[in-house]
């Protein structure tokens, strides 16, 4: 007789279009960018910007890119690895646990996943957003959505959230292992490229408004001032990988990609870093993308194709990407640790 699961684990990834078609990509972009935590401007202005300009113009271009990374059998790489991670975690946790996967935007939705879990009368639900570094636009949005939906429940199991795991030892080990597999000695420089955020969103993490965060960050902020600052957590992740690999000062650069619009975003920008390094004579570049736990459009295209082209055009020769966490057993062990130990 199968034992009844008593503990629920909800893994939540950002999301992916249902297909690489322009209508599905437009639908995905619209839902994503209409989130007030992603584009934090008044609703009416956001609606005009997203539905009137961004989604209609970007959807056809993004659809073409998605088609280049879309597998005929497995579909979206992000979905493929996310499903695999959930299945592997379920196997590791055993029948006492029930693991559900949801996407913050599109399918399977958080609402669908929670509906299944509601009917199971679980004793506890542990929500693990699949973003190592906390940001209001990612982890914060997931937590916000879960609380909004669960507010309608007539009973409440014990609910907990993982806010970040930016320097989790097992996660750091995987990034280091994947880098070592490429022979570090052949590279002139190492790039740590994180997803960017508007500078204004950094200050919003401090309700008192007293920290006056600089737009270039502080590598000691996580431990000493504000543990929820996205920028400080990016530094913490980089610092842990750098220490694990024994990289020398001056051999690496921390930068930020995927900016949108004309307002200031966290700097230095990855594009600017690539131009600078090429002019300085760097030829072979190894890029880490530790804001993502699975390879996706931001790694497989933006880094491996777009940035590689920019680097070569500026005089560089090669850009190699460190594989993301994907289905590495050690990463699944890290997820198990987060699920069971209730520790970040």
């Amino acid at each position: 007789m199968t034992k009844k699961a008593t503990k629920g684990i909800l893994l939540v990834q950002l999301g992916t279009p249902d297909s690489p078609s322009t209508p599905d990509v437009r639908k995905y972009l619209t839902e994503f960018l209409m989130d007030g935590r992603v584009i934090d401007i008044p609703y009416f202005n956001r609606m005009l910007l997203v539905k009137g300009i961004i989604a209609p113009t970007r959807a056809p271009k993004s659809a073409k890119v998605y088609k280049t990374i879309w597998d005929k059998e497995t579909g979206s790489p992000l979905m493929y690895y996310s499903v695999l991670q959930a299945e592997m975690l379920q196997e590791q946790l055993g029948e006492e646990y029930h693991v559900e996967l949801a996407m913050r935007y599109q399918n399977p939705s958080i609402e669908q996943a929670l509906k299944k879990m509601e009917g199971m009368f679980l004793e506890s639900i542990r929500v693990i957003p699949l973003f190592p570094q906390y940001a209001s636009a990612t982890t914060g949005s997931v937590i916000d959505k879960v609380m909004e939906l669960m507010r309608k429940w007539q009973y409440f199991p014990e609910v907990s959230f993982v806010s970040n795991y930016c320097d989790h030892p097992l996660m750091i080990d995987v990034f280091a292992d994947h880098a070592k597999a490429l022979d570090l000695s052949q590279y002139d420089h190492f790039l740590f490229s994180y997803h960017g955020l508007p500078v204004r969103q950094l200050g919003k993490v401090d309700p008192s408004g007293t920290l006056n965060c600089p737009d270039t960050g502080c590598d000691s902020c996580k431990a000493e001032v504000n543990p929820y600052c996205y920028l400080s957590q990016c530094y913490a992740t980089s610092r842990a990988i750098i220490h694990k690999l024994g990289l020398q000062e001056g051999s690496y650069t921390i930068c930020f990609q995927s900016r949108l619009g004309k307002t200031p975003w966290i700097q230095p920008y990855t594009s600017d870093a690539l131009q600078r390094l090429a002019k300085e004579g760097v030829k072979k570049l190894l890029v880490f993308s530790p804001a993502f736990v699975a390879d996706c459009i931001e790694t497989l295209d933006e880094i491996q194709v777009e940035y590689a082209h920019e680097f070569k055009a500026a005089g560089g020769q090669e850009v190699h990407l460190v594989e993301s966490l994907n289905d590495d057993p050690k990463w699944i062990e890290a997820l198990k640790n987060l699920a069971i130990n209730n520790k970040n």
Side-chain angles (χ1 to χ4, degrees), residues 152-331:
K152 303 172 185 176
W153 287 25
Q154 295 303 305
Y155 76 95
F156 288 98
E158 179 183 344
V159 180
S160 59
F161 301 91
V162 176
S163 65
N164 79 86
Y165 39 93
C166 63
D167 50 4
H168 193 290
L170 290 173
M171 183 188 76
I172 299 302
D173 283 351
V174 178
F175 278 119
D177 291 345
H178 289 180
K180 290 176 184 176
L182 297 173
D183 182 12
L184 301 182
S185 64
Q186 66 176 306
Y187 297 101
D188 304 318
H189 200 82
F190 305 94
L191 207 65
F192 293 84
S193 183
Y194 293 85
H195 199 287
L197 280 180
V199 171
R200 66 174 180 272
Q201 291 190 10
L202 296 180
K204 288 186 175 183
V205 179
D206 170 35
S208 68
T210 60
L211 293 182
N212 191 28
C213 291
D215 61 5
T216 53
C218 171
D219 63 7
S220 63
C221 181
K222 180 179 181 294
E224 299 175 8
V225 184
N226 187 348
Y228 288 98
C229 175
Y230 173 74
L231 189 53
S232 72
Q233 291 186 17
C234 292
Y235 277 107
T237 303
S238 302
R239 193 163 53 244
I241 298 173
I242 289 165
H243 177 75
K244 190 73 179 180
L245 293 175
L247 302 183
Q248 299 300 310
E249 186 70 32
S251 69
Y252 55 85
T253 297
I254 299 170
C255 51
F256 301 87
Q257 64 188 83
S258 307
R259 68 184 188 269
L260 176 68
K262 298 180 180 180
T263 59
W265 282 48
I266 305 171
Q267 297 187 40
Y269 300 135
T270 300
S271 290
D272 293 345
L274 292 171
Q275 296 290 326
R276 175 181 63 80
L277 291 169
K279 289 179 181 178
E280 292 176 356
V282 170
K283 297 299 181 183
K284 293 187 176 182
L285 194 61
L286 184 62
V287 183
F288 295 81
S289 191
F292 304 98
V293 304
D295 280 317
C296 53
I297 192 169
E298 285 85 358
T299 62
L300 298 175
D301 178 75
E302 190 169 6
I303 291 176
Q304 278 200 145
V305 178
E306 182 181 336
Y307 287 146
H309 178 75
E310 284 187 27
F311 185 61
K312 291 176 183 177
Q317 291 180 354
E318 296 179 20
V319 170
H320 290 165
L321 173 70
V322 176
E323 181 187 355
S324 192
L325 305 175
N326 293 334
D327 58 345
D328 192 293
K330 198 176 289 186
W331 162 234

Side-chain angles (χ1 to χ4, degrees), residues 64-82:
K64 290 180 181 179
V65 175
Y66 272 110
K67 287 176 183 176
T68 66
I69 66 169
W70 211 270
D71 188 273
K72 291 182 179 179
E73 295 183 1
T74 59
S76 159
L78 181 67
M79 181 65 75
Y80 171 76
Y81 283 117
S82 298

Side-chain angles (χ1 to χ4, degrees), residues 27-77:
K27 184 179 178 183
Y28 167 71
L29 288 175
T30 300
E31 184 182 356
F32 170 40
L33 297 174
M34 279 302 296
D35 186 338
R37 285 179 177 263
V38 175
I39 298 184
D40 53 338
I41 60 177
Y43 176 82
F44 184 72
N45 294 346
R46 184 167 68 251
M47 182 177 66
L48 290 177
L49 179 63
V50 173
K51 296 185 177 182
I53 301 175
I54 300 178
T57 57
R58 291 192 62 169
K61 299 176 183 177
S62 294
K64 290 180 181 179
V65 175
Y66 272 110
K67 287 176 183 176
T68 66
I69 66 169
W70 211 270
D71 188 273
K72 291 182 179 179
E73 295 183 1
T74 59
S76 159

